[in-house]
Amino acid sequence: MESEKIKIQLDFLSGPIWPNYLEKDTFKKITGVKVIDDDLQLGELNRKVCDLYSSYYEFDSHDMPCWFNYEQQFKDRFIIRDLLQKIVNRLNEINDGSYVVEPFALNYYNELCTKDTYEDLNKK
């Protein structure tokens, strides 16, 4: 049996633990991996990151229907990086061998945390 891939990535109104399926009776977002879906600590961390990351989206702002606040994201980079690290650590701690963690968002935030200013993001 092939291991489920649990991706750590970010999107509007979605927690960083993917895949996100809707449970058919409750419409609760789940991964389909029971040990993950039943973990209260992961649920709380997932919601915290979802709420913070989703707050960067502004609607009818800056003369655009949807605008992403990169400056605020940059200011919060250490907070999100630390929360993502806690998620990955917890996933590794409870891993029963049925999944593999792919920490895409954590890798991105680790890189983001090496930058001194928002303007450094565009420098190579």
Side-chain angles (χ1 to χ4, degrees), residues 102-114:
E102 296 180 342
F104 300 116
L106 178 58
N107 294 342
Y108 172 77
Y109 272 87
N110 281 334
E111 177 66 22
L112 196 61
C113 287
T114 67

Side-chain angles (χ1 to χ4, degrees), residues 61-92:
S61 178
H62 297 78
D63 295 322
M64 298 177 72
C66 181
W67 180 76
F68 189 85
N69 190 336
Y70 289 100
E71 290 181 26
Q72 188 61 50
Q73 177 196 31
F74 186 78
K75 289 177 188 175
D76 294 342
R77 68 193 183 280
F78 294 105
I79 296 168
I80 289 195
R81 191 261 328 260
D82 292 347
L83 289 168
L84 290 171
Q85 186 63 65
K86 287 178 182 180
I87 287 171
V88 169
N89 290 347
R90 181 66 181 158
L91 284 167
N92 289 332

Side-chain angles (χ1 to χ4, degrees), residues 2-121:
E2 188 174 325
S3 296
E4 180 81 29
K5 291 182 180 173
I6 302 299
K7 296 175 183 171
I8 306 302
Q9 55 191 26
L10 297 168
D11 200 359
F12 180 66
L13 295 181
S14 292
I17 302 173
W18 287 50
N20 281 329
Y21 301 114
L22 287 179
E23 200 278 324
K24 67 179 181 178
D25 296 326
T26 65
F27 296 104
K28 176 184 171 189
K29 288 184 180 177
I30 61 171
T31 64
V33 178
K34 187 168 178 43
V35 70
I36 296 172
D37 295 335
D38 292 345
D39 192 274
L40 298 177
Q41 185 178 351
L42 281 175
E44 182 180 331
L45 289 166
N46 205 46
R47 279 187 296 281
K48 283 182 183 179
V49 174
C50 177
D51 291 346
L52 185 56
Y53 187 79
S54 294
S55 74
Y56 305 145
Y57 287 84
E58 299 178 15
F59 299 95
D60 296 321
S61 178
H62 297 78
D63 295 322
M64 298 177 72
C66 181
W67 180 76
F68 189 85
N69 190 336
Y70 289 100
E71 290 181 26
Q72 188 61 50
Q73 177 196 31
F74 186 78
K75 289 177 188 175
D76 294 342
R77 68 193 183 280
F78 294 105
I79 296 168
I80 289 195
R81 191 261 328 260
D82 292 347
L83 289 168
L84 290 171
Q85 186 63 65
K86 287 178 182 180
I87 287 171
V88 169
N89 290 347
R90 181 66 181 158
L91 284 167
N92 289 332
E93 181 181 325
I94 66 169
N95 195 339
D96 60 1
S98 65
Y99 60 88
V100 174
V101 179
E102 296 180 342
F104 300 116
L106 178 58
N107 294 342
Y108 172 77
Y109 272 87
N110 281 334
E111 177 66 22
L112 196 61
C113 287
T114 67
K115 307 299 181 188
D116 293 324
T117 66
Y118 174 71
E119 290 74 28
D120 289 342
L121 291 175

